Each structure stands twice: as C-alpha cells, then as structure tokens.
Amino acid sequence: MGGHVASFRRYRWALSWTALVDLHLGRHVMESHRWFDDPPTELRDRLVHLPEKERSLARLLDEVYRYHGQRQEATFERWGDKTPINVGCMNEIMDVFPKARFVHLLRDGVDVVHSWSGVEKYAGEVIAPARRWKTAVTEARHFGQTYPDRLLEICYEDLCRDSEQTLRRVCSFVGLSFEDALLSRSDHYDEMETAQSVGHYENAFASITTDSIGKGREKLDAEQKEQIRPILSDDLVRFGYAPIES
C-alpha cells in the first residue's frame, strides 16, 4: 500500500483522474494478480466516473478492496491489509486513512531470521533478515509511541500460547466482536487456492501450535548466531526476549 501512496503523491499533479485510476489499477493487477481473473472493467468504469468531489486515493483503494471482497462473495463492512512492509509507511497510510488502526505482530527476532533465511529471497543468509527485523520493530515502536491509540503490539508467542485472550485484545482494539469461530474456522481454506501451493504458507492451514517458538535458537548454528548477535541483541532484550546464546 505504501507504493500506491507514494505514486499517487508523485503523479497526481501531472496526470488526469482517469490516468491515475489506470495507474493504480494496473499496479493492483500486477502486484495482486490473483484478485483479477479478468480485467476489472466494471471497477474501472465506476472509478473513472466518480463525481469530482469523491475522487481521492482513499476512495480508489477502498473501491479496489471492496471489489475483491465482493468477487469472493464476502460480506463485510471493513477490510484489512496484511502486508509486513507496511510497517515502514504507517504515517503515509494514516494520512490516507485517518481512522486506520495497526496491529503489530512482534516475534522473537532469532526465530524470524531463521524463518526468512529459508525463503528464496535470502537463501540461507542471516544478516539481511536480522537488519530487516531490527528496522521493522524499531519503526513500529516509534509509531506506537507517537500514536499509542492507533497501534496495538501483540507477541506471536502470546498468540500461539494464549490464542483466545490475545485475539480478544485484537478484536477489542479494532472494534470487532470476538467469536470462537475466529480460532477454529477452516471453511475458507478452499478460497486460499494459491496459498496452498506455496511452501511457507503451509502452516496457515494447520491448527494453532507453539512448535515454531524457539526454532531459530535451536536450528541456527554458532556462526550464524555470532553474525546476528550484534544486530539483534539490544532490541531482543528491549522487547523482552532472551539474549542470543552461543
């Protein structure tokens, strides 16, 4: 979403509303291609013909997300976006959506490094994932200190160990009613067809478990731990995690 904010700010003075609609719809089709089986001509037509006083990036993005939800036959009043890199542009997002609320899911940095080192982008490398974690948690903490009523920080470990209580906190923060089905629902799995073919999403289809807690400290070797220790140590302690042992 940060990319949409940046490009809208960059080009809105030079492009017509129709061109801005095409620019942002094009980005969505390219970046979220799974949302569009066919060209979103109906959506484009609706956006292009919005009354001038209703033309804004907020309305444009809202229409895109609602279009996707309606195509999935979902019933909803609000939508959310789970994109980790949004942690770097929360101020920009709040400028577009002044009532936005953010949930920061904090996890032990050592486990995060271990998890990311297994994906193709990092291919076993640990320094870049460690720096990415440090940057993300620092930015989230700074935002939360500036806007304490807009960001809720919860721990991955708490979500796994005490799922109901943690999820009740999330629901309260975003103004939703807690339901037991939030912890056990599985009827949406068939809708997640693409995710089923992605290896690192496999746990999304499993029951809540604590199996991945501490895996980084167990699996990373001594050399890898030595590489990430100077990057992570201060923030691990600051966020209540144990320091890295050799």
Side-chain angles (χ1 to χ4, degrees):
M1 187 174 293
H4 286 279
V5 176
S7 62
F8 190 86
R9 287 177 171 176
R10 183 178 301 121
Y11 299 119
R12 63 182 173 183
W13 65 273
L15 299 179
S16 67
W17 173 249
T18 298
L20 286 170
V21 168
D22 287 338
L23 171 66
H24 288 279
L25 276 186
R27 286 194 61 149
H28 272 290
V29 171
M30 291 294 293
E31 297 171 4
S32 304
H33 56 89
R34 298 185 299 274
W35 289 14
F36 304 97
D37 296 326
D38 304 300
T41 52
E42 177 186 345
L43 172 62
R44 179 186 184 275
D45 185 65
R46 184 163 66 245
L47 286 168
V48 166
H49 292 96
L50 281 175
E52 187 168 353
K53 64 180 181 180
E54 297 180 21
R55 297 175 180 180
S56 67
L57 178 59
R59 179 63 181 273
L60 194 159
L61 292 173
D62 185 65
E63 290 283 351
V64 170
Y65 279 82
R66 291 184 182 278
Y67 174 85
H68 171 61
Q70 291 159 3
R71 299 274 287 191
Q72 300 300 314
E73 299 182 351
T75 301
F76 60 93
E77 295 181 3
R78 294 185 291 168
W79 51 263
D81 183 272
K82 176 191 165 296
T83 305
I85 60 174
N86 281 345
V87 73
C89 54
M90 289 186 287
N91 284 294
E92 291 80 1
I93 292 172
M94 199 167 69
D95 286 343
V96 178
F97 297 105
K99 296 182 180 180
R101 288 178 175 255
F102 302 85
V103 178
H104 176 221
L105 183 61
L106 175 68
R107 186 183 181 189
D108 185 339
V110 185
D111 286 345
V112 173
V113 169
H114 172 261
S115 178
W116 279 341
S117 68
V119 302
E120 184 178 357
K121 178 178 180 178
Y122 294 111
E125 207 236 311
V126 295
I127 293 179
R131 289 173 175 164
R132 178 175 170 179
W133 180 86
K134 180 181 179 66
T135 298
V137 298
T138 300
E139 290 179 334
R141 179 58 60 91
H142 286 167
F143 181 87
Q145 290 171 340
T146 305
Y147 304 101
D149 60 329
R150 295 305 182 87
L151 183 139
L152 173 68
E153 184 175 274
I154 62 171
C155 292
Y156 168 87
E157 295 78 12
D158 292 339
L159 186 60
C160 294
R161 290 171 175 149
D162 191 357
S163 306
E164 179 177 334
Q165 193 60 36
T166 305
L167 195 53
R168 284 184 181 277
R169 288 181 59 210
V170 174
C171 288
S172 176
F173 176 70
V174 299
L176 296 176
S177 299
F178 173 83
E179 300 176 5
D180 290 336
L182 294 173
L183 295 172
S184 58
R185 182 188 172 201
S186 61
D187 60 310
H188 60 299
Y189 288 175
D190 289 342
E191 302 169 10
M192 301 168 65
E193 183 178 350
T194 303
Q196 294 176 23
S197 63
V198 181
H200 61 269
Y201 287 160
E202 61 182 354
N203 286 338
F205 303 95
S207 299
I208 298 172
T209 177
T210 60
D211 290 351
S212 293
I213 297 176
K215 188 173 287 187
R217 296 170 189 270
E218 175 187 348
K219 298 293 186 181
L220 293 180
D221 61 35
E223 181 180 353
Q224 291 173 316
K225 290 178 180 178
E226 192 61 34
Q227 287 179 300
I228 65 175
R229 181 180 287 108
I231 302 172
L232 301 186
S233 290
D234 290 346
D235 286 305
L236 286 173
V237 174
R238 183 177 295 114
F239 287 104
Y241 293 102
I244 301 172
E245 303 292 342
S246 300

PDB file of all heavy atoms in Angstrom, residues 181-197 201-208:
ATOM      1  N   ALA A 181     -15.358 -18.941  16.596  1.00  0.00           N
ATOM      2  CA  ALA A 181     -15.031 -19.398  15.243  1.00  0.00           C
ATOM      3  C   ALA A 181     -13.748 -18.768  14.708  1.00  0.00           C
ATOM      4  O   ALA A 181     -13.111 -19.324  13.805  1.00  0.00           O
ATOM      5  CB  ALA A 181     -16.189 -19.095  14.295  1.00  0.00           C
ATOM      6  N   LEU A 182     -13.364 -17.629  15.269  1.00  0.00           N
ATOM      7  CA  LEU A 182     -12.132 -16.987  14.820  1.00  0.00           C
ATOM      8  C   LEU A 182     -10.910 -17.864  15.085  1.00  0.00           C
ATOM      9  O   LEU A 182      -9.888 -17.735  14.412  1.00  0.00           O
ATOM     10  CB  LEU A 182     -11.959 -15.635  15.523  1.00  0.00           C
ATOM     11  CG  LEU A 182     -12.994 -14.561  15.179  1.00  0.00           C
ATOM     12  CD1 LEU A 182     -12.791 -13.343  16.070  1.00  0.00           C
ATOM     13  CD2 LEU A 182     -12.906 -14.171  13.712  1.00  0.00           C
ATOM     14  N   LEU A 183     -11.006 -18.752  16.062  1.00  0.00           N
ATOM     15  CA  LEU A 183      -9.889 -19.625  16.413  1.00  0.00           C
ATOM     16  C   LEU A 183      -9.940 -20.971  15.697  1.00  0.00           C
ATOM     17  O   LEU A 183      -8.924 -21.666  15.631  1.00  0.00           O
ATOM     18  CB  LEU A 183      -9.876 -19.876  17.926  1.00  0.00           C
ATOM     19  CG  LEU A 183      -9.622 -18.659  18.812  1.00  0.00           C
ATOM     20  CD1 LEU A 183      -9.838 -19.021  20.268  1.00  0.00           C
ATOM     21  CD2 LEU A 183      -8.205 -18.142  18.602  1.00  0.00           C
ATOM     22  N   SER A 184     -11.094 -21.325  15.175  1.00  0.00           N
ATOM     23  CA  SER A 184     -11.232 -22.684  14.635  1.00  0.00           C
ATOM     24  C   SER A 184     -11.750 -22.743  13.207  1.00  0.00           C
ATOM     25  O   SER A 184     -11.820 -23.821  12.619  1.00  0.00           O
ATOM     26  CB  SER A 184     -12.179 -23.494  15.533  1.00  0.00           C
ATOM     27  OG  SER A 184     -13.446 -22.863  15.618  1.00  0.00           O
ATOM     28  N   ARG A 185     -12.099 -21.615  12.638  1.00  0.00           N
ATOM     29  CA  ARG A 185     -12.689 -21.614  11.305  1.00  0.00           C
ATOM     30  C   ARG A 185     -11.747 -22.212  10.268  1.00  0.00           C
ATOM     31  O   ARG A 185     -10.548 -21.919  10.261  1.00  0.00           O
ATOM     32  CB  ARG A 185     -13.040 -20.181  10.904  1.00  0.00           C
ATOM     33  CG  ARG A 185     -13.696 -20.093   9.541  1.00  0.00           C
ATOM     34  CD  ARG A 185     -13.857 -18.659   9.080  1.00  0.00           C
ATOM     35  NE  ARG A 185     -14.306 -18.614   7.701  1.00  0.00           N
ATOM     36  CZ  ARG A 185     -14.160 -17.564   6.898  1.00  0.00           C
ATOM     37  NH1 ARG A 185     -13.555 -16.490   7.357  1.00  0.00           N
ATOM     38  NH2 ARG A 185     -14.589 -17.609   5.659  1.00  0.00           N
ATOM     39  N   SER A 186     -12.283 -23.046   9.401  1.00  0.00           N
ATOM     40  CA  SER A 186     -11.475 -23.628   8.319  1.00  0.00           C
ATOM     41  C   SER A 186     -12.232 -23.652   6.998  1.00  0.00           C
ATOM     42  O   SER A 186     -11.689 -24.112   5.985  1.00  0.00           O
ATOM     43  CB  SER A 186     -11.045 -25.054   8.683  1.00  0.00           C
ATOM     44  OG  SER A 186     -12.185 -25.885   8.878  1.00  0.00           O
ATOM     45  N   ASP A 187     -13.458 -23.127   6.980  1.00  0.00           N
ATOM     46  CA  ASP A 187     -14.264 -23.204   5.764  1.00  0.00           C
ATOM     47  C   ASP A 187     -13.747 -22.280   4.659  1.00  0.00           C
ATOM     48  O   ASP A 187     -14.206 -22.370   3.521  1.00  0.00           O
ATOM     49  CB  ASP A 187     -15.726 -22.874   6.066  1.00  0.00           C
ATOM     50  CG  ASP A 187     -15.907 -21.476   6.643  1.00  0.00           C
ATOM     51  OD1 ASP A 187     -15.185 -21.142   7.604  1.00  0.00           O
ATOM     52  OD2 ASP A 187     -16.750 -20.728   6.121  1.00  0.00           O
ATOM     53  N   HIS A 188     -12.792 -21.424   4.982  1.00  0.00           N
ATOM     54  CA  HIS A 188     -12.250 -20.515   3.968  1.00  0.00           C
ATOM     55  C   HIS A 188     -11.014 -21.089   3.275  1.00  0.00           C
ATOM     56  O   HIS A 188     -10.462 -20.473   2.377  1.00  0.00           O
ATOM     57  CB  HIS A 188     -11.884 -19.174   4.602  1.00  0.00           C
ATOM     58  CG  HIS A 188     -10.859 -19.269   5.678  1.00  0.00           C
ATOM     59  ND1 HIS A 188     -11.051 -19.996   6.822  1.00  0.00           N
ATOM     60  CD2 HIS A 188      -9.611 -18.747   5.786  1.00  0.00           C
ATOM     61  CE1 HIS A 188      -9.980 -19.915   7.587  1.00  0.00           C
ATOM     62  NE2 HIS A 188      -9.092 -19.161   6.986  1.00  0.00           N
ATOM     63  N   TYR A 189     -10.570 -22.279   3.675  1.00  0.00           N
ATOM     64  CA  TYR A 189      -9.353 -22.841   3.100  1.00  0.00           C
ATOM     65  C   TYR A 189      -9.451 -23.025   1.587  1.00  0.00           C
ATOM     66  O   TYR A 189      -8.474 -22.802   0.862  1.00  0.00           O
ATOM     67  CB  TYR A 189      -9.026 -24.186   3.753  1.00  0.00           C
ATOM     68  CG  TYR A 189      -8.511 -24.087   5.179  1.00  0.00           C
ATOM     69  CD1 TYR A 189      -8.265 -25.235   5.925  1.00  0.00           C
ATOM     70  CD2 TYR A 189      -8.260 -22.860   5.772  1.00  0.00           C
ATOM     71  CE1 TYR A 189      -7.790 -25.153   7.237  1.00  0.00           C
ATOM     72  CE2 TYR A 189      -7.794 -22.766   7.068  1.00  0.00           C
ATOM     73  CZ  TYR A 189      -7.561 -23.920   7.798  1.00  0.00           C
ATOM     74  OH  TYR A 189      -7.096 -23.836   9.085  1.00  0.00           O
ATOM     75  N   ASP A 190     -10.608 -23.443   1.109  1.00  0.00           N
ATOM     76  CA  ASP A 190     -10.760 -23.676  -0.330  1.00  0.00           C
ATOM     77  C   ASP A 190     -10.578 -22.397  -1.128  1.00  0.00           C
ATOM     78  O   ASP A 190     -10.188 -22.434  -2.302  1.00  0.00           O
ATOM     79  CB  ASP A 190     -12.134 -24.276  -0.620  1.00  0.00           C
ATOM     80  CG  ASP A 190     -12.257 -25.715  -0.129  1.00  0.00           C
ATOM     81  OD1 ASP A 190     -11.207 -26.348   0.117  1.00  0.00           O
ATOM     82  OD2 ASP A 190     -13.396 -26.189   0.012  1.00  0.00           O
ATOM     83  N   GLU A 191     -10.855 -21.249  -0.498  1.00  0.00           N
ATOM     84  CA  GLU A 191     -10.703 -19.971  -1.185  1.00  0.00           C
ATOM     85  C   GLU A 191      -9.236 -19.558  -1.291  1.00  0.00           C
ATOM     86  O   GLU A 191      -8.900 -18.659  -2.051  1.00  0.00           O
ATOM     87  CB  GLU A 191     -11.477 -18.885  -0.438  1.00  0.00           C
ATOM     88  CG  GLU A 191     -12.970 -19.175  -0.293  1.00  0.00           C
ATOM     89  CD  GLU A 191     -13.637 -18.210   0.662  1.00  0.00           C
ATOM     90  OE1 GLU A 191     -12.972 -17.217   1.047  1.00  0.00           O
ATOM     91  OE2 GLU A 191     -14.802 -18.437   1.007  1.00  0.00           O
ATOM     92  N   MET A 192      -8.372 -20.227  -0.513  1.00  0.00           N
ATOM     93  CA  MET A 192      -6.950 -19.867  -0.479  1.00  0.00           C
ATOM     94  C   MET A 192      -6.143 -20.808  -1.378  1.00  0.00           C
ATOM     95  O   MET A 192      -5.113 -21.339  -1.014  1.00  0.00           O
ATOM     96  CB  MET A 192      -6.440 -19.925   0.955  1.00  0.00           C
ATOM     97  CG  MET A 192      -7.197 -18.987   1.889  1.00  0.00           C
ATOM     98  SD  MET A 192      -6.856 -19.267   3.639  1.00  0.00           S
ATOM     99  CE  MET A 192      -5.122 -18.826   3.759  1.00  0.00           C
ATOM    100  N   GLU A 193      -6.659 -20.987  -2.585  1.00  0.00           N
ATOM    101  CA  GLU A 193      -6.080 -21.970  -3.506  1.00  0.00           C
ATOM    102  C   GLU A 193      -4.623 -21.691  -3.818  1.00  0.00           C
ATOM    103  O   GLU A 193      -3.781 -22.589  -3.829  1.00  0.00           O
ATOM    104  CB  GLU A 193      -6.902 -22.011  -4.791  1.00  0.00           C
ATOM    105  CG  GLU A 193      -6.425 -23.047  -5.797  1.00  0.00           C
ATOM    106  CD  GLU A 193      -7.294 -23.084  -7.035  1.00  0.00           C
ATOM    107  OE1 GLU A 193      -8.371 -22.451  -7.048  1.00  0.00           O
ATOM    108  OE2 GLU A 193      -6.904 -23.768  -8.001  1.00  0.00           O
ATOM    109  N   THR A 194      -4.294 -20.440  -4.086  1.00  0.00           N
ATOM    110  CA  THR A 194      -2.915 -20.103  -4.431  1.00  0.00           C
ATOM    111  C   THR A 194      -1.979 -20.369  -3.265  1.00  0.00           C
ATOM    112  O   THR A 194      -0.881 -20.902  -3.436  1.00  0.00           O
ATOM    113  CB  THR A 194      -2.812 -18.631  -4.862  1.00  0.00           C
ATOM    114  OG1 THR A 194      -3.695 -18.402  -5.962  1.00  0.00           O
ATOM    115  CG2 THR A 194      -1.393 -18.297  -5.277  1.00  0.00           C
ATOM    116  N   ALA A 195      -2.397 -20.002  -2.060  1.00  0.00           N
ATOM    117  CA  ALA A 195      -1.553 -20.202  -0.882  1.00  0.00           C
ATOM    118  C   ALA A 195      -1.248 -21.677  -0.650  1.00  0.00           C
ATOM    119  O   ALA A 195      -0.200 -22.030  -0.106  1.00  0.00           O
ATOM    120  CB  ALA A 195      -2.232 -19.609   0.349  1.00  0.00           C
ATOM    121  N   GLN A 196      -2.142 -22.543  -1.075  1.00  0.00           N
ATOM    122  CA  GLN A 196      -1.934 -23.967  -0.869  1.00  0.00           C
ATOM    123  C   GLN A 196      -0.725 -24.497  -1.634  1.00  0.00           C
ATOM    124  O   GLN A 196      -0.166 -25.536  -1.284  1.00  0.00           O
ATOM    125  CB  GLN A 196      -3.190 -24.743  -1.275  1.00  0.00           C
ATOM    126  CG  GLN A 196      -4.397 -24.456  -0.392  1.00  0.00           C
ATOM    127  CD  GLN A 196      -5.639 -25.167  -0.865  1.00  0.00           C
ATOM    128  OE1 GLN A 196      -5.568 -26.165  -1.562  1.00  0.00           O
ATOM    129  NE2 GLN A 196      -6.802 -24.653  -0.490  1.00  0.00           N
ATOM    130  N   SER A 197      -0.305 -23.783  -2.653  1.00  0.00           N
ATOM    131  CA  SER A 197       0.825 -24.229  -3.457  1.00  0.00           C
ATOM    132  C   SER A 197       2.139 -23.572  -3.051  1.00  0.00           C
ATOM    133  O   SER A 197       3.178 -23.839  -3.655  1.00  0.00           O
ATOM    134  CB  SER A 197       0.558 -23.934  -4.938  1.00  0.00           C
ATOM    135  OG  SER A 197       0.445 -22.535  -5.161  1.00  0.00           O
ATOM    136  N   TYR A 201       3.542 -21.157   3.285  1.00  0.00           N
ATOM    137  CA  TYR A 201       2.199 -20.866   3.782  1.00  0.00           C
ATOM    138  C   TYR A 201       1.515 -22.108   4.360  1.00  0.00           C
ATOM    139  O   TYR A 201       0.367 -22.032   4.784  1.00  0.00           O
ATOM    140  CB  TYR A 201       1.316 -20.313   2.663  1.00  0.00           C
ATOM    141  CG  TYR A 201       1.623 -18.902   2.232  1.00  0.00           C
ATOM    142  CD1 TYR A 201       1.204 -18.429   0.993  1.00  0.00           C
ATOM    143  CD2 TYR A 201       2.324 -18.032   3.058  1.00  0.00           C
ATOM    144  CE1 TYR A 201       1.482 -17.136   0.581  1.00  0.00           C
ATOM    145  CE2 TYR A 201       2.615 -16.738   2.650  1.00  0.00           C
ATOM    146  CZ  TYR A 201       2.184 -16.291   1.414  1.00  0.00           C
ATOM    147  OH  TYR A 201       2.458 -15.016   1.005  1.00  0.00           O
ATOM    148  N   GLU A 202       2.212 -23.222   4.378  1.00  0.00           N
ATOM    149  CA  GLU A 202       1.553 -24.469   4.754  1.00  0.00           C
ATOM    150  C   GLU A 202       0.976 -24.421   6.167  1.00  0.00           C
ATOM    151  O   GLU A 202      -0.072 -25.020   6.440  1.00  0.00           O
ATOM    152  CB  GLU A 202       2.525 -25.645   4.629  1.00  0.00           C
ATOM    153  CG  GLU A 202       3.758 -25.551   5.521  1.00  0.00           C
ATOM    154  CD  GLU A 202       4.692 -26.720   5.302  1.00  0.00           C
ATOM    155  OE1 GLU A 202       4.314 -27.651   4.546  1.00  0.00           O
ATOM    156  OE2 GLU A 202       5.795 -26.715   5.892  1.00  0.00           O
ATOM    157  N   ASN A 203       1.616 -23.695   7.074  1.00  0.00           N
ATOM    158  CA  ASN A 203       1.110 -23.631   8.445  1.00  0.00           C
ATOM    159  C   ASN A 203      -0.186 -22.843   8.569  1.00  0.00           C
ATOM    160  O   ASN A 203      -0.872 -22.926   9.598  1.00  0.00           O
ATOM    161  CB  ASN A 203       2.162 -23.038   9.378  1.00  0.00           C
ATOM    162  CG  ASN A 203       3.285 -24.014   9.667  1.00  0.00           C
ATOM    163  OD1 ASN A 203       3.110 -25.222   9.528  1.00  0.00           O
ATOM    164  ND2 ASN A 203       4.443 -23.503  10.043  1.00  0.00           N
ATOM    165  N   ALA A 204      -0.528 -22.079   7.508  1.00  0.00           N
ATOM    166  CA  ALA A 204      -1.787 -21.339   7.535  1.00  0.00           C
ATOM    167  C   ALA A 204      -2.985 -22.279   7.516  1.00  0.00           C
ATOM    168  O   ALA A 204      -4.102 -21.888   7.863  1.00  0.00           O
ATOM    169  CB  ALA A 204      -1.864 -20.388   6.340  1.00  0.00           C
ATOM    170  N   PHE A 205      -2.737 -23.522   7.138  1.00  0.00           N
ATOM    171  CA  PHE A 205      -3.815 -24.499   7.055  1.00  0.00           C
ATOM    172  C   PHE A 205      -3.751 -25.509   8.207  1.00  0.00           C
ATOM    173  O   PHE A 205      -4.467 -26.498   8.218  1.00  0.00           O
ATOM    174  CB  PHE A 205      -3.740 -25.237   5.712  1.00  0.00           C
ATOM    175  CG  PHE A 205      -3.799 -24.314   4.532  1.00  0.00           C
ATOM    176  CD1 PHE A 205      -2.628 -23.861   3.931  1.00  0.00           C
ATOM    177  CD2 PHE A 205      -5.013 -23.860   4.045  1.00  0.00           C
ATOM    178  CE1 PHE A 205      -2.676 -22.990   2.853  1.00  0.00           C
ATOM    179  CE2 PHE A 205      -5.072 -22.987   2.972  1.00  0.00           C
ATOM    180  CZ  PHE A 205      -3.900 -22.550   2.372  1.00  0.00           C
ATOM    181  N   ALA A 206      -2.904 -25.248   9.169  1.00  0.00           N
ATOM    182  CA  ALA A 206      -2.759 -26.145  10.316  1.00  0.00           C
ATOM    183  C   ALA A 206      -3.366 -25.511  11.556  1.00  0.00           C
ATOM    184  O   ALA A 206      -3.682 -24.317  11.584  1.00  0.00           O
ATOM    185  CB  ALA A 206      -1.281 -26.455  10.555  1.00  0.00           C
ATOM    186  N   SER A 207      -3.537 -26.302  12.585  1.00  0.00           N
ATOM    187  CA  SER A 207      -4.056 -25.790  13.850  1.00  0.00           C
ATOM    188  C   SER A 207      -3.016 -24.891  14.506  1.00  0.00           C
ATOM    189  O   SER A 207      -1.818 -24.981  14.215  1.00  0.00           O
ATOM    190  CB  SER A 207      -4.398 -26.950  14.784  1.00  0.00           C
ATOM    191  OG  SER A 207      -5.389 -27.786  14.210  1.00  0.00           O
ATOM    192  N   ILE A 208      -3.462 -24.026  15.400  1.00  0.00           N
ATOM    193  CA  ILE A 208      -2.546 -23.159  16.133  1.00  0.00           C
ATOM    194  C   ILE A 208      -1.596 -24.034  16.954  1.00  0.00           C
ATOM    195  O   ILE A 208      -2.013 -24.963  17.628  1.00  0.00           O
ATOM    196  CB  ILE A 208      -3.323 -22.210  17.059  1.00  0.00           C
ATOM    197  CG1 ILE A 208      -4.231 -21.304  16.222  1.00  0.00           C
ATOM    198  CG2 ILE A 208      -2.368 -21.373  17.903  1.00  0.00           C
ATOM    199  CD1 ILE A 208      -5.176 -20.456  17.048  1.00  0.00           C
TER     200      ILE A 208
END
